[in-house]
Amino acid sequence: MNARNYQKELDKIIEQAQKENYVPTLFLHSCCAPCSSYVLEYLSRYFSITLFYYNPNIYPRQEYDKRVREIERLVEEMEFIHPVKLVEGRYDPQEFFSMAKGLEDVPEGGERCFKCYRLRMEEAARLAEEGGYDYFTTTLSISPLKNAAKINEIGEELADIYQVSHLPSDFKKKNGYKRSIELSHEFGLYRQNYCGCVYSRRKADQ
């Protein structure tokens, strides 16, 4: 079976919207400022975006606050063709710890991470449905360490549950990750050395 090309699927959606001269609304979950930089530069040409910063996985609190300040600054300083509005979700680390129970020792990139993607994407899907958005998606697929097929699979499951379309994505394509590094330098963004949770931090500290 051929692997799906999520970038091509996204290209088709953009092409169709442009043909119809329509700017769809997108509820975009943001994992951090560096990953969001390229995704915003790219998608704000075609979508009206609400950027949703919701990451109860981030540890400790000071790290969370630092990352919030960076995403606020990025949205303020970047120029966009269509509007980008930032919304911060609640920060309750207990949500993450309850989800991770029993999976504390699972290696990075495994089942705990998949459940963490889902936790954050589900809140985005719920709010996208509530707000009547055309699409929801997440910036997570830009990272070479994240499983794009799994992220899209979760997105499609949530689209069925919440009745809001999931925007397919693999933002690593078109040199997305490389461009995010360039933009991070350009805006002087803080680039963290671990994904966010206490378990990924322990691994980074080893």
Side-chain angles (χ1 to χ4, degrees):
M1 193 176 99
N2 286 339
R4 278 170 63 183
N5 185 324
Y6 299 105
Q7 181 60 52
K8 272 196 176 148
E9 291 178 29
L10 174 55
D11 288 341
K12 276 185 188 157
I13 290 168
I14 289 171
E15 204 177 295
Q16 188 57 38
Q18 288 193 299
K19 259 187 207 163
E20 293 167 10
N21 205 18
Y22 179 60
V23 180
T25 54
L26 171 65
F27 200 76
L28 174 63
H29 167 261
S30 160
C31 55
C32 64
C35 288
S36 301
S37 60
Y38 162 74
V39 180
L40 287 174
E41 179 185 67
Y42 170 41
L43 292 184
S44 66
R45 296 175 203 154
Y46 313 109
F47 296 86
S48 173
I49 298 173
T50 296
L51 189 66
F52 178 50
Y53 190 80
Y54 170 66
N55 297 291
N57 55 311
I58 294 172
Y59 174 89
R61 175 81 210 209
Q62 304 89 285
E63 178 71 20
Y64 174 85
D65 290 340
K66 195 173 184 177
R67 295 191 193 193
V68 169
R69 284 194 300 273
E70 287 297 86
I71 194 72
E72 286 171 345
R73 186 168 69 81
L74 179 69
V75 170
E76 214 170 273
E77 292 180 11
M78 267 187 108
E79 288 180 12
F80 305 110
I81 290 173
H82 295 109
V84 173
K85 181 177 84 177
L86 178 66
V87 171
E88 186 187 348
R90 64 185 176 274
Y91 177 61
D92 179 1
Q94 205 41 56
E95 289 183 55
F96 170 76
F97 288 118
S98 301
M99 177 228 83
K101 205 170 168 51
L103 299 168
E104 293 87 350
D105 299 325
V106 171
E108 276 294 279
E111 191 56 36
R112 186 185 64 242
C113 294
F114 296 162
K115 286 187 81 168
C116 184
Y117 304 164
R118 189 186 177 102
L119 172 74
R120 293 177 282 166
M121 289 173 73
E122 181 150 19
E123 184 67 355
R126 187 181 71 76
L127 291 172
E129 189 263 342
E130 208 174 87
Y133 285 79
D134 293 313
Y135 295 97
F136 80 97
T137 196
T138 177
T139 58
L140 284 163
S141 71
I142 197 168
S143 166
L145 302 173
K146 301 281 187 291
N147 183 326
K150 192 71 190 173
I151 289 164
N152 281 278
E153 181 191 307
I154 293 166
E156 283 161 18
E157 278 172 25
L158 294 170
D160 285 342
I161 296 167
Y162 291 95
Q163 299 299 295
V164 58
S165 298
H166 173 253
L167 193 70
S169 72
D170 188 356
F171 295 122
K172 292 180 280 295
K173 303 286 178 171
K174 295 193 168 183
N175 284 324
Y177 181 67
K178 182 173 175 279
R179 180 65 183 145
S180 76
I181 292 169
E182 290 167 5
L183 286 164
S184 295
H185 288 311
E186 201 179 301
F187 288 93
L189 294 176
Y190 160 63
R191 288 184 70 84
Q192 57 276 2
N193 69 341
Y194 67 106
C195 179
C197 77
V198 63
Y199 312 112
S200 61
R201 181 170 176 160
R202 275 181 204 153
K203 192 178 177 219
D205 289 346
Q206 277 169 8

